[in-house]
Amino acid sequence: MGVVQIVTATVAFAYTAVAIGLFVRAGLGMLGLIQLGAPDKTRKGDRQARVATMLRESLGHTRMLQWTWVGLAHWAVFFGFFLLAPALAASYFEVLNPEWGLPLVGHWGPWLLFSEILTVLTGVAIVGLFVIRMFRQPRAMRVPPQGTPSDDGQRHSSSRFEGSRQWMAFYIEATIFTIVVSHMAVRVIKVALDEVPEWSSPVSSLFAGGLSGASHDALLNAVTLSAGLDILVSWTFFLMLALIPSMGIGWHRVTAFFNLYFKRNADGAVSLGPAKPMLIDGEPADFETADPETQPFGVATIADFTWKGLLDFSTCTECGRCQSQCPAWNTGKPLSPKKLITDLRDHLYEQAPYLKAAAIAKERGGEADPHEKINIIGNVIDPDVLWSCTTCGACVEQCPVDIEHVDHILDLRRNMVMIESDFPDEAQTMLRNLENKGNPWGENPAHRLKWAEPLDFEVPIAEAGGDFEYLYWVGCAGAYDPKAQKTSRAVATLLHDAGVKFAVLGEAETCTGDSARRIGHEFMYQMLAEQNVETLNEVGAVKIVATCPHCLNTIGNEYEDIGGKYEVVHHTELLNDLVNAGKITPVEEHEGKLTYHDPCYLGRHNRIFTPPRELLGSFAEITEMPRTEERSFCCGAGGARMWLEEPLGKRVNRERADEAVATGAKTVAVGCPFCSTMLRDGVADAGREDVEVIDIAQLLARTQEKRAEKAVAAE
């Protein structure tokens, strides 16, 4: 060994030992901190399915590849980061003796070729990601102000990187690029030394000729120094993680695997659809025994979050995919799903010493928490951030590491509403109406069936043992809103004419509780849900058809937890089946251009994308909006926002209406009464009275009316 080798090896091995020690200590500290979170017993079981999900989503990059080129580049870097570990191991041999290599495969041609290709792909991919980041910097993607600003300010760009700690991303990109360069430098030098065949290093061989004038000893020392650089740069990355536990863009390389494993649905389904139940002691809350004086209702402090929530916060990569899809952020509201998570993460690690001290004090039999608890609302997260959320799920759909943003927002809302009674004034009216009248409009429950009075046939009322196949769940909008009543009559008429045996609950029907649950009033939701489940079970409902996706989601996905298991379909699904079966025959093509809006709770939350389009396709040609299906843009009504004012930023419904109008369509087809109301208002606000917003069922019913008119004319 020469002097260069002795010095380089000493520094490399000592630095490695220090970095490993600090990284392990930091990792154990992070694990201990996450374990201090509240229990969540819903994440247990299904180990085989969870492992399969984790491997599929991590190795397969299933979520990342929804953005094809970015996903492919990240995939190359992902494999390069882990599979180039053998090259790092080889560097330890090379700092001791530059002519050594990895045992067994270090001089084996196929391995050398594989590692060369992998190194080059990683280098190209990281440069590609760097270029993408540079072209999408906030300063390069300025946007005009979006309406009235909030105290938290508004977005200043359309860049998903706005609000991200950019230096961390640039540091990691520079680290990976430097590792690639050091690996390639070693390979180029070894080709020049004739230690490896040129066929196994096709790229390195292109540069090896430039070293023809260097001496043998100089090349050997260059190998040692390049290998040493590889070691120092590689372990500096882990040292940085040890020093900055909130560096999610680095830590996600470790924590993402666990976050994917412990996602809500073991089968890999996105954490959407049913709301996560409010947990007490790790179990769904039982309000008959729950005590708000001693048990947390929702989340008020960082310690109230479950361990899965703390793991979520620690895993965020600040990639901004959630932010780029969020309707609130896109319309200038103070909510950014990314910033919500990173603010909670920063608060978590600020409070970490106190949380650990409280845990130690409790173990020793002392006071459970001797430190003052900081309420998150108002101190860490502005209330307007939470009330801006429409629970559309776009953030959850896009997150590549399966962070459950909506669940955390609901937990924070639950504490605000049920414990602090802190919610927008308009919500008070809605909640009072639900409590007293069983519907958010406050209409007389005895008028539940008035929508059916104009029909020329009698709508049957469901009874125990009644002769009906489908229970038609009309919903509050379908029963009371004049526009939605037209949809109810169209659906009933189409089912009647097609010979489908159906019945309705009439006055026995009450609100499903969706708005109560999404605004945070879990207790009221359970009261309404239990009442409905009792009614549905009494009449023997098995199959249910609903026109409102919010009703469909609540009855089909959430009532099962309280004893109500039903097969629930959307009216567009049933009507599409009837068209395919020849029981309904559209006879005329729709005149003019038509576009379709995917309701969030029908599409993203329940994955119903095709039936509405097939049904429309039977009598119309669809012109799609730029944001459709999984990436559909919210109408602004979800998360109980249907009942709240929208004083901040541009109105969400106007943003979506502008997008619909821009297609040139004169008809906007919808499959949700909330979407219908919001888009109709948005189109009117845009001054486009010539554009009609209408439910698909009404469009289909029109074709039947035209057929009847033609039949009469023919006679």
Side-chain angles (χ1 to χ4, degrees), residues 487 590-599 616 619-625 632-633 635 653 656-672 675-684 688 690-699 702:
T487 301
H590 176 78
E591 295 180 3
K593 243 181 172 183
L594 175 148
T595 191
Y596 170 63
H597 164 75
D598 284 281
L616 282 170
F619 59 87
E621 183 177 343
I622 305 173
T623 300
E624 294 282 10
M625 286 183 263
S632 178
F633 196 80
C635 74
N653 63 336
R656 186 56 164 172
D658 287 346
E659 187 173 2
V661 168
T663 65
K666 295 297 184 181
T667 303
V668 181
V670 296
C672 171
C675 294
S676 180
T677 297
M678 298 299 282
L679 291 181
R680 194 181 304 112
D681 290 348
V683 167
R688 293 299 303 271
D690 58 321
V691 176
E692 181 183 29
V693 179
I694 186 171
D695 191 273
I696 298 174
Q698 290 177 253
L699 288 173
R702 281 182 185 175

Side-chain angles (χ1 to χ4, degrees), residues 74 111 150 153 187 263 333 374 399 408 446 591 604 631:
H74 192 278
W111 162 255
S150 66
R187 183 62 60 84
K263 65 186 298 183
K333 310 294 191 296
I374 297 177
C399 182
H408 303 316
E591 295 180 3
R604 196 155 37 235
R631 295 196 196 182

Side-chain angles (χ1 to χ4, degrees), residues 441 448 451 472 474-481 484-486 488 547 673:
W441 275 274
R448 274 268 176 186
W451 63 270
Y472 176 22
V474 180
C476 299
Y480 297 118
D481 181 81
Q485 285 178 342
K486 295 179 180 179
S488 301
T547 52

